[in-house]
């Protein structure tokens, strides 16, 4: 019996991977235009890192982490998101000393033991950005501009929803009002009942539709913002207006992670079934300090690559694998040996080239060249080779011209490259 991949873990096979490469290339290019530097961080971290950052009463920490005890008895976790790891790396590598504002991005897999469904995997991939060292509201607007530009250059659209979650100054008054409301709201689930005592804001993030219906009447955090947070939020909105980025304020958006302060945002679409967010993020001004680093503000966002790929696929915008430049069709052992060396020389010359090793017939090899979407085929038979000649065939037009084989294979390859590229 064959062994299958785990539920919620997906292979990205040829035919799909080209779309992923397009997504990644587009994002990398945009990250570069915004002057971000790439950082690569480990997939496995100490469990405490996520408990301390994401929060111990979040769904992620309570229910979704892949946590295990390793051979040394340490509790380790496959990262459920990237922010905590990037901030740990920022602190550990003293990146603050190298640049007062660090703008970083990372791309890679994340792991959450959620119920798999359309657009929701247990291993999924994020492209995420973290900017550390500035609390300027224009940085918040710039983050949203970056996420919006990625969508635009992928040919996709989504709506931007924004909110402010306040700061440690104003959150307690809101928490109290929310708690009062929750005490008057009886028909809520057990999780919400439990969480309202420890972390009332978390309740608003409940996945139950019944709970969500009740919470439509909950107090709005925006009515509780202190004057600094009100000003900050106004300036974020002003920044978005200066950049002509449309947005909608959604005061119910609380995000599923505890570290957020002030601005939060999501890019939402109705095209992903129950999963509406294709990208999301926000400000986390106390988090670096909370993780043992300096008191440095930060903001970031992440985009889900599976969701982007799904949207592209739904719109018929998937990409085909690029074809070959040249297929070497060799007949007979002498031509095959020359062809073998030539194919390698073609690659040295910068061409995408391959040949067949199965000793197939001419007809069959031409079929292979067609399947490989080769733009050209170089046909070499024993007799032609002896005469110092081959045939260069344009696979699209079916036009053929003789190709004179003078000198060494390296020379042939360079001449072919000049004709084909
Ligand atoms: P998040 O909202 O948990 O935020 O995830 C960000 C994005 O990752 C989502 O909008 C979605 O596109 C994708 N995503 C999340 N879970 C899954 C899943 N199970 N399957 C497929 N895609 C998924 C964060 O992770 C924060 N670290 C974002 C951030 C960065 N905030 C500040 N900096």
């Amino acid at each position: 019996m064959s062994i299958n991949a785990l539920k919620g873990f997906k292979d990205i096979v040829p035919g799909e991977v080209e779309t992923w490469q397009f997504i990644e290339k587009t994002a990398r290019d945009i990250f570069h235009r915004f002057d971000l530097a790439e950082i690569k961080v480990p997939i496995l971290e100490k469990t405490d890192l996520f408990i301390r950052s994401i929060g111990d009463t979040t769904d992620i920490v309570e229910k979704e982490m892949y946590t295990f005890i390793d051979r040394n008895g340490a509790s380790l976790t496959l990262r459920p998101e990237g922010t905590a790891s990037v901030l740990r790396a920022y602190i550990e590598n003293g990146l603050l000393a190298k640049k007062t504002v660090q703008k970083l991005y990372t791309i890679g897999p994340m792991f959450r033991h959620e119920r798999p469904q359309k657009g929701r995997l247990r291993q999924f991939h994020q492209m995420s950005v973290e900017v550390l060292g500035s609390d300027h509201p224009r940085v918040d607007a710039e983050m949203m501009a970056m996420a919006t530009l990625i969508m635009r250059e992928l040919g996709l659209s989504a709506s931007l929803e924004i909110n402010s979650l306040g700061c440690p100054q104003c959150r307690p008054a809101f928490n109290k009002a929310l708690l009062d409301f929750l005490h008057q709201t009886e028909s809520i689930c057990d999780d919400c009942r439990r969480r309202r005592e420890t972390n009332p804001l978390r309740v608003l993030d409940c996945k139950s539709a019944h709970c969500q219906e009740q919470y439509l009447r909950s107090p709005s955090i925006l009515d509780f913002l202190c004057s600094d947070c009100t000003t900050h939020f106004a300036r974020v909105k002003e920044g978005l207006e200066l950049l002509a980025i449309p947005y909608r304020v959604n005061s119910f958006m609380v995000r599923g992670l505890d570290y957020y302060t002030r601005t939060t945002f999501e890019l939402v679409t109705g095209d992903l079934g129950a999963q509406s967010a294709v990208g999301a993020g926000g400000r986390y001004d106390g988090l670096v300090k909370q993780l043992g680093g300096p008191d440095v503000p930060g903001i970031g966002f992440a985009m889900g690559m599976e969701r982007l790929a799904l949207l592209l696929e739904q719109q018929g915008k998937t990409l085909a694998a690029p074809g070959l430049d040249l297929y070497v069709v060799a007949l007979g052992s002498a031509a095959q040996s020359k062809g073998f060396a030539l194919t390698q020389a073609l690659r040295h010359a910068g061409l995408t080239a391959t040949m067949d090793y199965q000793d197939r017939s001419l007809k069959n090899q031409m079929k292979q060249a067609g399947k490989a979407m080769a733009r050209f085929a170089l046909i070499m038979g024993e007799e032609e080779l002896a005469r110092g000649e081959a045939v260069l065939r344009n696979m699209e037009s079916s036009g053929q011209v003789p190709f004179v084989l003078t000198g060494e294979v390296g020379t042939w390859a360079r001449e072919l490259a000049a004709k084909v590229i």
Side-chain angles (χ1 to χ4, degrees):
M1 219 168 76
S2 60
I3 300 171
N4 294 333
L6 298 171
K7 194 173 158 198
F9 288 64
K10 218 179 142 295
D11 304 306
I12 303 153
V13 296
E16 296 171 345
V17 85
E18 294 75 18
T19 303
W20 280 71
Q21 288 166 347
F22 167 62
I23 294 170
E24 192 169 325
K25 188 171 175 295
T26 306
R28 277 181 190 279
D29 186 56
I30 291 171
F31 293 153
H32 180 66
R33 281 184 249 162
F34 279 81
D35 190 29
L36 305 184
E38 183 171 9
I39 182 165
K40 291 180 187 285
V41 288
I43 285 167
L44 201 57
E45 298 272 4
K46 289 180 186 155
T47 303
D48 274 350
L49 176 69
F50 302 114
I51 298 177
R52 263 166 71 183
S53 53
I54 299 168
D56 55 1
T57 49
T58 57
D59 270 358
I60 296 180
V61 170
E62 278 188 352
K63 306 176 186 170
E64 297 169 0
M65 294 204 304
Y66 280 89
T67 297
F68 64 95
I69 304 296
D70 82 348
R71 289 169 195 276
N72 301 327
S75 177
L76 305 181
T77 295
L78 282 172
R79 61 179 186 191
E81 58 113 42
T83 309
S85 306
V86 171
L87 267 55
R88 181 207 43 73
Y90 169 82
I91 299 166
E92 198 169 330
N93 294 282
L95 297 187
L96 170 65
K98 299 195 171 120
K99 234 178 180 184
T100 46
V101 179
Q102 278 285 356
K103 304 188 200 177
L104 306 166
Y105 79 90
T106 195
I107 299 176
M110 309 291 159
F111 304 85
R112 295 184 194 173
H113 196 281
E114 294 188 84
R115 203 162 42 79
Q117 52 175 244
K118 182 178 169 187
R120 196 206 275 161
L121 281 296
R122 287 183 172 169
Q123 177 179 323
F124 60 98
H125 298 73
Q126 285 184 346
M127 307 187 292
S128 61
V129 171
E130 313 297 345
V131 172
L132 299 154
S134 173
D135 62 1
H136 201 290
R138 292 231 162 127
V139 176
D140 305 35
E142 197 182 34
M143 290 294 103
M144 296 180 236
M146 199 187 306
T148 312
L149 186 59
I150 292 176
M151 292 300 284
R152 195 173 106 172
E153 294 204 2
L154 290 175
L156 297 171
S157 62
S159 319
L160 175 65
E161 299 201 344
I162 68 169
N163 194 19
S164 174
L165 295 182
C167 67
Q169 299 280 302
C170 41
R171 190 82 62 80
F174 172 69
N175 278 346
K176 188 176 172 310
L178 184 58
L179 196 59
D180 290 346
F181 165 82
L182 292 170
H183 278 299
Q184 290 155 21
T185 316
E186 272 322 305
S187 61
I188 57 175
C189 72
D190 289 346
D191 266 356
C192 286
R193 217 172 275 279
R194 183 171 51 81
R195 284 177 182 168
R196 74 178 167 195
E197 308 306 329
T198 47
N199 191 353
L201 196 65
R202 233 6 348 114
V203 168
L204 299 182
D205 192 42
C206 177
K207 288 188 177 117
S208 143
H210 179 72
C211 289
Q212 281 304 333
E213 210 182 298
Q214 316 293 309
Y215 302 152
L216 289 174
R217 293 190 306 277
S218 66
S220 162
I221 186 145
L222 296 177
D223 295 333
F224 292 82
L225 297 185
C226 63
S227 70
D228 282 355
C229 287
T230 305
T231 308
H232 191 272
F233 195 43
R235 297 205 58 200
V236 172
K237 290 189 282 186
E238 180 197 274
L240 289 172
E241 281 147 28
L242 282 171
L243 301 178
I245 295 172
Y247 64 87
R248 185 176 84 87
V249 174
N250 174 3
S251 66
F252 292 110
M253 189 223 299
V254 290
R255 311 277 300 116
L257 306 101
D258 272 353
Y259 50 62
Y260 291 113
T261 53
R262 294 190 166 169
T263 318
T264 53
F265 63 96
E266 287 187 352
L267 279 168
V268 295
T269 157
D271 299 334
L272 287 170
Q275 307 309 309
S276 60
V278 62
R283 184 162 276 292
Y284 44 77
D285 288 344
L287 187 55
V288 178
K289 188 159 182 232
Q290 199 178 308
L291 290 175
D295 194 2
V296 166
I299 182 167
F301 70 92
M303 302 190 75
M305 295 179 75
E306 280 75 7
R307 294 187 188 175
L308 292 170
L310 205 60
L311 290 172
L312 285 169
E313 191 190 309
Q314 278 174 191
Q315 299 194 6
K317 288 185 181 150
T318 49
L319 277 98
L324 294 176
D325 292 319
L326 198 145
Y327 198 101
V328 176
V329 174
L331 298 156
S333 74
Q336 281 163 1
S337 299
K338 276 285 180 214
F340 183 56
L342 174 62
T343 306
Q344 185 63 6
L346 287 166
R347 294 166 184 155
H348 281 247
L351 294 193
T352 312
T354 196
M355 72 176 292
D356 167 64
Y357 296 142
Q358 312 301 127
D359 199 18
R360 286 183 229 249
S361 67
L362 172 64
K363 195 171 150 208
N364 244 324
Q365 289 193 48
M366 291 307 291
K367 224 179 180 174
Q368 297 301 317
K371 262 194 187 165
M373 290 185 297
R375 292 193 298 118
F376 288 87
L378 186 80
I379 306 158
M380 288 196 299
E382 297 280 359
E383 284 170 24
E384 289 95 332
L385 186 67
R387 284 204 306 272
E389 229 183 73
V391 171
L392 183 63
R393 182 184 172 91
N394 182 322
M395 297 293 285
E396 207 193 313
S397 67
S398 304
Q400 297 195 161
V401 288
F403 180 77
V404 183
L405 305 168
T406 41
E408 283 308 301
V409 284
T411 317
W412 307 356
R414 282 190 295 278
E415 280 176 14
L416 282 166
K419 284 195 193 314
V420 163
I421 294 180

